[in-house]
Amino acid sequence: MYSTWDQDQKNQGGTIAYDVFRINPTASYGNFTLDAEYRQYSSSFGGGFLKHGWIGYEFKDGEQLHVGLVSVPFGLQPVTGNSWFYNIGYYLGLEDNYDMGVRYSRQKERWDYDFAFIKNAETLDLGGDTELSQSRFAYDIVGRNKKVNQVNANVVYKTTGAIQQQIGLSGQLGGLYNIDTKKMGNHYAASLAYQVDYSTWNLKASFIHAIHNPMNAAGTSNQVMELGAYGSAYETATNFHVYTVGLAKNFSVNWKPMQALVVYHDFGYMQKHVKSFENSYMQVTGVRTNIGPIITYIDYATGLNHSWFGGNFVNDFSLGDPNAKRQSRFNINLGYYF
C-alpha cells in the first residue's frame, strides 16, 4: 500500500502488510447445511472473529432458511462495488452486513424474495447494558446504542436473455436501545438497486435513504452515532442518503493460468441531511485477476471526508471538514484461496 496522507509511509516507499487469514467451513446432512467464515486479522484490526456463521435448511430448490449470524438482506446483493475496498455503503453498515437472526430466501426464475428478523448485532459480551465489541467484520452501531428487533425485506425482479437485468427494492426497520436512558429509539432505511449484465459489461447502481432516531442522554447529540468494526469506532451522521455506481468489464484472456481479468470503476457518495455536515465520497479504479488459486486486486482509491482515506478518522462520516483534501491510496492485495 502507498497512501498520500501518510508521510512516513511515503518516505519508506510504501508498505507490505499482512491482511487476513480466513477459514470457510461448510457442511451438509440431508436438507441441513452449515456455512461459516472465521477471520484472523492483526490485533490492531480486531484480531479474530466470525464474519458469518449459520445453520440452514433447504426446503426445495431455491428456498432456504438460515439461523445464526446471517447475511442481512438489504440493498444490492451481495455488494455494490467491485474492488477490494467495497463501496461507501459498507462503511456505513448497510452493505455486506451480518447480524444474529433468522433469514428466509426464495429464488425463482423471475423473482427473488428475502425476509429476515434480526434480533441484534453479533454479541461477544453478555448483558443488556454492555457495549458491543468493536472486533467485528461488518460495521454495526456501537457505543451507548444497540440495534434490536429489526425486520428486513428485499424483493428483486430479474430478466433473462442477452441483457440480464435486476431491479431490487429493500426496506428495514428496527429499534435502537440506549443503555443510558433505557429508552428505545428507532431506525429505518430503504434501498432501490439496479444491475445489468450485457456481454462482458456489468453495471450496478443503488440509492439508500437511512434515518436513525436514537434516544440519547441529555447533552449527547442525536445527529451522530458510533459505528465500529476492525477493533475501532468512528462517528457517522444519523440521517443520510447514499448513492453508488459501479462499472466493470470482463476481458477474455488467452493465457492459460489466468481465469479472469476484470477492469472496474466504483463511485460512492454520502449526502448528510444536516447542512453543516460535509458530505463524503470515495471512488476506486482497479483491476482484478484470477490466476489459478491467486486472486489479485490492484486498486487506486481516493476519498474525501472518508475515515479510511486520511483526514480525521473519528468524524469524517459525521461532521467532516470543509477544508479537507482529497486523499488517495494505491493498493495491491494478493490472496491465495484453496
Side-chain angles (χ1 to χ4, degrees), residues 199-202 248-253 259-263 288:
S199 183
T200 58
W201 292 90
N202 172 266
K249 179 173 174 56
N250 194 327
F251 289 89
S252 60
V253 291
Q259 300 165 332
L261 174 64
V262 182
V263 177
R288 187 188 80 237

Side-chain angles (χ1 to χ4, degrees), residues 65-81:
L65 184 71
H66 298 167
V67 180
L69 183 55
V70 301
S71 174
V72 178
F74 182 81
L76 189 61
Q77 301 290 306
V79 292
T80 63

Side-chain angles (χ1 to χ4, degrees), residues 177-337:
Y177 180 79
N178 186 272
I179 298 172
D180 298 318
T181 64
K182 315 301 181 185
K183 295 181 179 180
M184 187 73 73
N186 61 76
H187 70 96
Y188 59 90
S191 171
L192 179 64
Y194 176 76
Q195 181 172 205
V196 58
D197 288 281
Y198 175 70
S199 183
T200 58
W201 292 90
N202 172 266
L203 174 68
K204 304 175 184 178
S206 72
F207 167 76
I208 296 173
H209 170 73
I211 300 291
H212 300 79
N213 298 304
M215 301 292 288
N216 291 332
T220 302
S221 173
N222 289 329
Q223 296 178 344
V224 300
M225 59 185 179
E226 277 190 274
L227 293 185
Y230 299 104
S232 61
Y234 49 62
E235 292 180 353
T236 72
T238 50
N239 303 326
F240 53 85
H241 292 150
V242 175
Y243 308 84
T244 68
V245 63
L247 181 65
K249 179 173 174 56
N250 194 327
F251 289 89
S252 60
V253 291
N254 295 322
W255 188 34
K256 187 176 181 180
M258 183 175 291
Q259 300 165 332
L261 174 64
V262 182
V263 177
Y264 48 80
H265 182 81
D266 298 332
F267 178 81
Y269 184 75
M270 177 192 186
Q271 181 185 27
K272 305 162 189 176
H273 289 191
V274 178
K275 292 184 178 180
S276 60
F277 288 4
E278 298 296 321
N279 296 330
S280 303
Y281 88 89
M282 65 177 286
Q283 58 182 342
V284 185
T285 302
V287 178
R288 187 188 80 237
T289 64
N290 293 45
I291 303 176
I294 300 175
I295 299 178
T296 303
Y297 289 90
I298 304 174
D299 293 322
Y300 182 76
T302 64
L304 183 68
N305 284 311
H306 192 299
S307 293
W308 283 99
F309 296 105
N312 186 328
F313 182 84
V314 175
N315 63 16
D316 276 343
F317 285 125
S318 57
L319 180 64
D321 181 0
N323 300 313
K325 296 181 179 180
R326 184 174 63 91
Q327 302 288 0
S328 303
R329 173 172 161 179
F330 178 69
N331 195 87
I332 300 176
N333 182 274
L334 295 96
Y336 188 93
Y337 297 81

